[in-house]
Amino acid sequence: MKASLSMADSASWYCATVLLALILLGSVRESSLADQTEAFRGSQLLDRPCDEIYVVGEGETLHTISDKCGDPFIVERNPHIHDPDDVFPGLVIKITPKTNNRKLLK
């Protein structure tokens, strides 16, 4: 009876260890896939086209928009922007779209 209990305990510990290893392996793999997906999404935002009417996105500044779209005269073309440092997500601006320099460098 003692031998069968000992064997059952060993089998239970073995199963628990294997299950824990599988859970850890799955979470590590899922974490690395999430990082790759986020990097892909970030590059999609950088490569989005610049239309004549542009809506400022989260984290963007006039400088980053100017670099991305190749338009150094954003402030001059948008008289409703009184302070270039006061740019917020959702602000609508007019730009003169240029070809995306990032795509030409790739």
Side-chain angles (χ1 to χ4, degrees):
M1 175 98 170
K2 241 182 181 186
S4 64
L5 274 178
S6 176
M7 194 158 80
D9 285 342
S10 296
S12 295
W13 278 108
Y14 176 77
C15 289
T17 305
V18 170
L19 183 60
L20 181 62
L22 288 173
I23 290 171
L24 289 174
L25 180 65
S27 67
V28 168
R29 183 175 291 161
E30 183 178 313
S31 166
S32 71
L33 287 176
D35 292 343
Q36 290 172 355
T37 303
E38 189 62 34
F40 179 72
R41 285 184 190 153
S43 69
Q44 280 182 328
L45 289 176
L46 290 175
D47 291 338
R48 73 179 183 184
C50 297
D51 297 323
E52 187 174 340
I53 303 299
Y54 189 90
V55 179
V56 177
E58 184 74 31
E60 290 185 311
T61 64
L62 289 182
H63 182 72
T64 60
I65 296 168
S66 175
D67 285 348
K68 178 170 48 174
C69 300
D71 184 3
F73 304 107
I74 293 175
V75 175
E76 289 83 358
R77 290 189 179 98
N78 292 279
H80 63 283
I81 299 176
H82 301 292
D83 182 6
D85 294 327
D86 189 26
V87 177
F88 52 89
L91 178 67
V92 177
I93 58 175
K94 178 182 178 181
I95 60 171
T96 303
K98 304 279 186 199
T99 57
N100 194 339
N101 292 336
R102 291 176 193 263
K103 289 183 180 177
L104 295 176
L105 294 175
K106 287 182 183 177

